[in-house]
Amino acid sequence: MTRDSLLILQSVDRRERRGVMAALDHAQCLVWFDALGRVVDGNPNAQDLLSYDLDNLKSCTHAALTGETDVDSPRYLTHWARIRDGELRNEERSVLTRNGTEVWSSISYAAIRNDAGKTRRVLAIIIDLSPWSWRPKDLK
């Protein structure tokens, strides 16, 4: 393969990756966290689901959005460390809107790493399951 052919393939690959990201951004609720669990960005779908504008969303943490009250507990610290360290995690849990309403969701986490392998960001893909989910509170 020639150098020019390789450059063309790399260019096509980059365009396809940008296209995949654009499709995800259009169709899903995406929230990006730093390695410490602070929100650094959220797409318009996430802002709508959580009833936050971007500036207010950026003032949140993972724990605040998921209603974690004991952020120093071994369970929570281990959970976030696994996410931060690149373990693909998926969970069904409620996330909290700005006004405190619970939205039952499926959340998938993926660490985004730099060239040295250090986690720069964590992407959370949030799917609103509330229209289709039974929750224990439904019994009340």
Side-chain angles (χ1 to χ4, degrees):
M1 182 174 289
T2 67
R3 184 178 186 291
D4 289 340
S5 298
L6 184 58
L7 290 174
I8 291 169
L9 286 175
Q10 289 173 340
S11 175
V12 168
D13 186 49
R14 280 191 298 273
R15 282 195 306 268
E16 286 180 1
R17 288 176 186 261
R18 282 193 302 270
V20 167
M21 190 61 227
L24 280 172
D25 193 44
H26 177 72
Q28 301 295 324
C29 297
L30 307 177
V31 177
W32 288 264
F33 299 92
D34 66 13
L36 298 175
R38 296 178 298 223
V39 174
V40 295
D41 201 2
N43 73 352
N45 297 332
Q47 293 171 47
D48 289 345
L49 177 69
L50 301 171
S51 302
Y52 281 96
D53 62 34
L54 185 57
D55 288 337
N56 287 317
L57 186 59
K58 286 182 174 182
S59 70
C60 294
T61 63
H62 175 266
L65 290 177
T66 58
E68 290 290 340
T69 55
D70 191 2
V71 295
D72 295 323
S73 73
R75 183 198 58 76
Y76 182 75
L77 293 173
T78 299
H79 176 65
W80 186 254
R82 287 178 173 168
I83 292 168
R84 182 193 61 235
D85 292 344
E87 184 177 313
L88 293 176
R89 309 273 297 172
N90 187 319
E91 61 183 346
E92 286 187 13
R93 65 168 312 140
S94 60
V95 292
L96 300 176
T97 66
R98 186 172 184 183
N99 66 10
T101 302
E102 292 182 340
V103 177
W104 193 251
S105 303
S106 174
I107 309 172
S108 297
Y109 302 94
I112 300 168
R113 297 178 178 200
N114 62 18
D115 291 340
K118 184 175 179 180
T119 298
R120 293 182 49 245
R121 301 272 188 265
V122 171
L123 172 61
I125 301 171
I126 303 169
I127 299 171
D128 178 5
L129 298 177
S130 56
W132 308 283
S133 295
W134 172 87
R135 292 171 302 285
K137 289 186 178 182
D138 291 341
L139 294 175
K140 293 182 179 179

